[in-house]
Amino acid sequence: MASFSTPPSPLDSSPREDLWAEWLEPLTKWQTFGLYLPGIKQKDIDKIEEDKTGVESRKMGLWTKWTGVYPPGTWTDVISALKRLKENALAADIEERLRKGKVFEIKKTNNTKMKHKSSHTSTWRGNGSGCYFREARGIRVT
């Protein structure tokens, strides 16, 4: 029996630097937020504060450090950290943007083959900007 799989969830994608900067712009408590991210320690926060000036620069320093020490980090981790910080509105906004905009990167390839129960093949293709769409062959998509 052929298995059916779905494309990766935008929530399980790695945060892109440009979206991190844009979507976390309202966040001011970046230090506590950072400590809620997997892999970040107080010494990392202290080093960022020492090396960077200004909240925006420090948040970008946090992104650089986090993606370096915890490569499997996802938007789900970011949203969880925001919720722990009680930044529920910001967490909900990011989650909604991800779900509606499908803005994410497919890490390993831009083409992911999928087998349907009917044995027809669909291909999920990335468009280079982090979004994907379904291209079907042999089946009717409505």
Side-chain angles (χ1 to χ4, degrees):
M1 175 183 270
S3 65
F4 178 78
S5 60
T6 57
S9 166
L11 295 169
D12 295 330
S13 66
S14 297
R16 291 188 349 215
E17 183 177 17
D18 60 330
L19 297 179
W20 174 282
E22 180 183 343
W23 294 354
L24 292 177
E25 193 274 329
L27 182 67
T28 57
K29 299 176 186 174
W30 71 271
Q31 302 96 329
T32 307
F33 165 75
L35 291 172
Y36 291 148
L37 293 171
I40 295 294
K41 310 269 188 260
Q42 183 62 52
K43 66 181 175 86
D44 300 321
I45 300 295
D46 295 342
K47 180 72 171 142
I48 293 167
E49 284 189 313
E50 181 181 308
D51 293 348
K52 305 284 184 185
T53 58
V55 173
E56 298 310 312
S57 177
R58 288 174 173 164
K59 283 190 281 190
M60 295 315 299
L62 177 61
W63 179 85
T64 301
K65 182 64 179 179
W66 183 54
T67 57
V69 299
Y70 195 73
T74 66
W75 281 111
T76 299
D77 297 317
V78 171
I79 291 166
S80 294
L82 288 169
K83 287 178 179 178
R84 286 186 65 191
L85 189 61
K86 305 288 189 244
E87 290 283 352
N88 296 326
L90 183 55
D93 180 57
I94 290 172
E95 191 168 2
E96 182 178 339
R97 287 178 188 223
L98 287 165
R99 289 188 192 280
K100 287 186 176 181
K102 298 179 186 164
V103 180
F104 70 97
E105 295 180 61
I106 298 175
K107 292 181 183 178
K108 294 186 179 175
T109 179
N110 277 348
N111 299 322
T112 305
K113 290 278 186 184
M114 296 169 48
K115 283 294 225 179
H116 293 275
K117 289 181 182 171
S118 64
S119 79
H120 296 289
T121 301
S122 288
T123 302
W124 290 88
R125 297 199 183 275
N127 67 3
S129 68
C131 295
Y132 70 92
F133 61 93
R134 187 168 117 183
E135 173 183 276
R137 292 200 173 108
I139 61 173
R140 189 179 205 171
V141 179
T142 57

